[in-house]
Amino acid sequence: MASRTEILAAIAAGALALVLTGCGASAPETSASGAAAETVASVEPSAPAAETPVDPPAAGPSCDTVFTDAEYTRLAEDGLSLKEEDPYLLGPVMERMADEGALICVWTKPNSDVSVWYARLEVGDQGQAWLDELQAEGWLEDTHQGDGSYQAPADYDANYQPSVMLQSGVLHFGSYNPILREVLELQ
């Protein structure tokens, strides 16, 4: 008869074999008495969990994908390139959007003060609260464009009069109104 140590060793070897192979189809080698085979065989292996395919989260827009191809061509033709580090933000609204985790994109022309700003913030059901706050600060609906955008007060910035547009729970900010027409999501 096999000793208790031999039986435990055989059981451990069998368990290790199950773990290493990932299934219970193979049995460990048995001792001369066959005790380990009986012990291991009486334990039913658990069925492997069915793997559910997980779709990767959809990547949101990036500074390289927010605009139409025509707009990216215009930016390049005008000598503007994406400033990836520490961009200057165009005023307090863009700063608040950045604080809330907005996508911030700034294209600049080297050795000049020419820039294009864009920000995108998912605001969900807080969109109207954002618009109410902007209106309280003097932003007005741009009735000339008639697209539902709001334009900053004339004194917002000395050189730019940005616009915002809320659509489908997303607030878009552009350094000037026509840039919003080049945002793919707003097409």
Side-chain angles (χ1 to χ4, degrees), residues 3 14 23 51 62 76 80 133 143 162 183:
S3 73
C23 65
E51 292 186 30
S62 70
L80 294 154
E133 188 175 331
T143 56
V183 175

Side-chain angles (χ1 to χ4, degrees), residues 4-184:
R4 184 180 188 125
T5 306
E6 289 174 335
I7 292 173
L8 291 175
I11 292 171
L16 181 60
L18 285 174
V19 169
L20 292 176
T21 62
C23 65
S26 62
E29 291 183 28
T30 61
S31 66
S33 68
E38 292 171 15
T39 305
V40 173
S42 67
V43 177
E44 289 186 35
S46 61
E51 292 186 30
T52 305
V54 177
D55 293 330
S62 70
C63 295
D64 296 324
T65 62
V66 293
F67 292 140
T68 62
D69 290 340
E71 184 57 29
Y72 285 114
T73 299
R74 278 190 286 279
L75 289 169
E77 287 172 352
D78 290 342
L80 294 154
S81 59
L82 186 62
K83 180 169 175 56
E84 302 210 25
E85 292 184 25
D86 196 30
Y88 169 78
L89 301 179
L90 185 59
V93 172
M94 192 175 197
E95 291 167 2
R96 282 198 312 259
M97 291 177 73
D99 289 344
E100 294 290 326
L103 170 67
I104 301 293
C105 306
V106 180
W107 291 266
T108 60
K109 186 173 186 175
N111 303 319
S112 78
D113 62 352
V114 176
S115 295
V116 171
W117 288 267
Y118 172 77
R120 178 192 184 277
L121 178 64
E122 292 188 28
V123 294
D125 59 358
Q126 296 298 310
Q128 190 58 50
W130 273 86
L131 292 180
D132 292 345
E133 188 175 331
L134 291 172
Q135 287 175 327
E137 294 171 6
W139 290 64
L140 298 174
E141 187 169 357
D142 189 340
T143 56
H144 175 71
Q145 296 293 331
D147 57 5
S149 63
Y150 287 78
Q151 199 166 41
D155 62 351
Y156 184 86
D157 183 87
N159 298 310
Y160 295 91
Q161 192 172 16
S163 291
V164 297
M165 184 180 290
L166 176 67
Q167 187 175 63
S168 302
V170 177
L171 186 66
H172 301 269
F173 174 101
S175 50
Y176 55 98
N177 190 282
I179 197 74
L180 293 176
R181 290 191 292 263
E182 299 300 327
V183 175
L184 286 175

